[in-house]
Amino acid sequence: MSKSSDGGIDLTRPKIIGAPVQRLEDPRLLTGHGKFTDDVKLRGTLHVALRRSDHAHARIGTIDTAEAEEMPGVVGVFTAELLDALTRPVFATSKMKDYHATPVRALAGGKVRFAGEPVVAVVAQSRYLAEDALAGIEIDYTPLEPVVDPEEAAADNAVKLHDHLPGNVLVARRFGVGDVEQAMGDAPIKVGGRFRFHRKTPTALEARSYLADYDQGTRALTLYASTQVPGIVRDALVEVLDMPGSKLRVIAGDVGGGFGGKASLNPEEILVCALSRHLGRPVKWTADRVEDLISTSQSFDEIVDAELAVDQDGTFLALKADILGDVGAFSIYPWTAALEPMQVAGFLPGPYRVPNFSANVRAVATNKAPMGPYRGVGRPISAFVLERLVDMAAKKLAMDPKEIRLRNFVKEEEFPHRTGSGIVWDRSGFTECLERAADAINYPALRKRQAEARADGRWLGIGIASYAELTGIGSRLSAAPGMPINTGTESATISVDSSGAVTAHFGIASHGQGLETTLAQIVAEEMGVRLEDVEIVQGDTSAVAHSTGTYASRSAVIAGGAGTLTARTLRGKIIEAASHLLDVDMADIDFADSLISARGTNKTMSLRELARAVYSQMGSLPGDIRAKVDLQASEFYDPHFGTTTSATHLAAVEIDPETYEVSIEKFVVVEDCGRVINPMIVDGQVHGGVAQGIGAALFEEVVHDVTGQNISATLVDYVIPSAAEVPSMEVHHLDVEAPSTLGGYRGMGEGGTIGAPAAIANALNDALSHLGVEIMELPMTPERLFQVISAAQDGEAESS
Amino acid sequence: MADKCRVRITVNGVAYDQEVEPRLLLADFLREDLDLTGTHVGCEHGVCGACTVLLNGDSVRSCLCLTVQADGAEITTVEGLGTVDNLNSLQQKFREHHALQCGFCTPGMLMTATDLLSKNENMSDEELREGLSGNLCRCTGYEHIVNAVRAAMNE
Ligand code: FES
Ligand code: FES
């Protein structure tokens, strides 16, 4: 990276960008002094408990709240009748044609559409008392036929969830390139089948929590929210509550993880705001874990019928897929129902040359919690399907899985490469990642060890998964297809105040990524100040005029770019002011480690002295200069498109032939994520993503029974991996070629979750290949393994 | 509402003598009555470990414990370890090894690790992972947490 050309930075100085600096947010979090939403205490706060629907699909008759209203400590009991009068419904709109939006409302009215949907809110002096009063509510439901199976839901004669819509299919689309049918017909080798990725839930350890504080004096409302997207929530509330943005502020303080589960507008956010304004008191709601598991947006629920055609030498000829996404009861705001299933199709061609491609995508509503983003969005499914197909083809050709991938990767000279789904890859180390991962795990030796283990009757398998994703997406593309919200730009404002302190304001919202640290690293280095002198303000809609938040691996790239530009502008102003104050040429000013000095002299100046001269000592600068060197700057950054991040995951697993328990012996990740700002944080992101991918592959599944009840609503039933199940991992970073993003950064927050399920699925398949088993479904719990192995053995017994 | 009960509890060295409802969870007593919000509640059903505190030196889940059960006990919460300006050695290791991301599981992890380290001298990685397996972290993938606790153990 060349920096000297534009920033005038001394290249001999130790770098802050790229260093494993300790995180600035850690001391407060390590000592119990973080401020998560539920930690915020306001005088006179009232607490909400929700009576949620216990039917998946039913008409709401009379609601009798009389008894609840009389219970101790109860201030009020509210239903949709009042909430609909206090708010306006909001719709996730889309430019996509034939898309059907559904309303987001605070409480269900008329009908309930999933078990767990909020119907009645009790407001009381304490949460204990509010929960007590839930028992005093009588709701008269007329049950309707639950729509649970996505294929049945998509049928023409299916029971409808939304009476005003033509059916349950909320969006359908077909796209591709070339002539797939022709290519398939002519191809010598075809592999394929039905793949099933079962429903997950992001499960941040902090459940969702909201506290609304309406100030009657100023008519202003502040929402403290555990959200990834304070800007999106603020802008939606402006419409919902019909208030100007200047009177509405959303603050996401410390947020206990998100992973997409806190990246949408939720009914409870609307509810506490409307009730606080109505009652003139602060109103808080914090989900308990069961509520979180049944009502937070869920994810990754797809059925994919896919087929890959290859030539005798392993060259990919055609790929086609039919994708059915079960998007639950509503089209999530603002991402829409299109987000997840469309992304599955969009990324299906992967890092390979696929000359003929077609995908048919449908998003279908069912009586389940709405589907929203979860780390990786769609791509864990695309990688699972494609990488399984690639291994199936390799097996048919008796070719090594590594070899067939190398043969089909987009090659160095072929970048930029447009995939069959229209995504453009800029240069990324597809080949390099796989080669390096194979080296790191010593692939040939591992294969040898596998052969020996197999001879001993052990079930050892090796799985490869390579993928590519688009990160840091600019304004020319939408983070969700057709969504009318701009997610591609960021602005930053940095000021030196009258005491000489540096404060940088951003529109993003960190929820564990350590962005206070990484953005401070960028600002410190680009400006020339010490890391500890930079204060980062983020997660607060009052910080910048327009913001959305943190999602889609965008923050380091886009906010980092805005921070870079702003820091450079402000540095220029500081140098100009200093040259007047120290009476030397601008070219002779050094500014590093927060100290200004005139080269070749012993004249120095601290930022505090400079600020005093600029702000307070009138006459220290000529008037025209003073106007020019105001010590603040604001710049805007738009990467326009985005950049490719790619990786290979390599897993070695062993299955216990008695218990079907899976142990992951080795897990290697090699990724090309561009220039690393803080290697420690990047490693942490990969580890966390892989752990979630392992959960998706082996344990996690939201299960609904035939009546639509969620029967996995505790952490005993929805199993997320603990330290005992997650292996030690080896992570390597490549920086193959600087992308066009400012600073050379690529996004990398989600990748771990994209590659791991596919790598593990392939490893399981490899471990069982001698039994004729194909892994077509995730998660592969011991019970499912037992079923697929028994089925294969039965099949064999019958045919022999 | 049942009659309130009197409890005498020492938390982080400070003695409290208070009237509480018999059903009040220890986690809520710490967070709501004493305003010690460092103890987090991640599940309220005893699985995640975020609410772990030390009760007479042993780690317990404060979401599964009633305040009245802690009558007469000495409790240590995360606020009783080091301070922002003076982290204790385990907290310091967590910082050096980047063993926390969102920090929500961290107080519980620290209390469990404190208990583990006070009772075991030399744990293998497997034992360490087993010992930490009652505390869920959704962010870190555990690698850095294990590294931090191992480093504290070897100090
Ligand atoms: S909150 Fe106590 S174990 Fe989860
Ligand atoms: S750091 Fe977020 S849950 Fe552990």
Side-chain angles (χ1 to χ4, degrees), chain A residues 23 30 38-39 41 128 132 202-203 205 257 289 374 512 680 684 687-688 692 700 715 721 723 726 728-729, chain B residues 23 25 28 31 35 40 42 45 91 95-96 98 100-102 105 110 129 136 138-144:
Chain A
R23 297 200 321 169
L30 283 164
D38 195 47
D39 302 342
K41 305 273 178 69
Y128 281 70
D132 287 346
T203 331
L205 207 59
R289 180 53 60 186
Y374 176 28
M680 209 162 70
H687 296 154
Q692 288 178 352
E700 297 179 30
L715 288 180
V726 178
S728 180
M729 305 163 207
Chain B
R23 65 173 174 172
L25 296 176
D28 290 330
R31 290 182 51 81
D35 211 14
H40 296 157
H45 50 250
Q91 289 166 316
R95 189 173 187 207
E96 282 165 18
H98 185 34
L100 64 156
Q101 290 184 24
C102 77
C105 70
L110 287 168
R129 283 179 179 269
L136 298 176
R138 192 59 158 164
C139 298
T140 63
Y142 305 102
E143 179 99 18
H144 287 166

Side-chain angles (χ1 to χ4, degrees), chain A residues 35-47:
Chain A
K35 267 261 179 294
F36 296 87
T37 299
D38 195 47
D39 302 342
V40 180
K41 305 273 178 69
L42 301 176
R43 269 161 79 107
T45 296
L46 298 171
H47 298 264

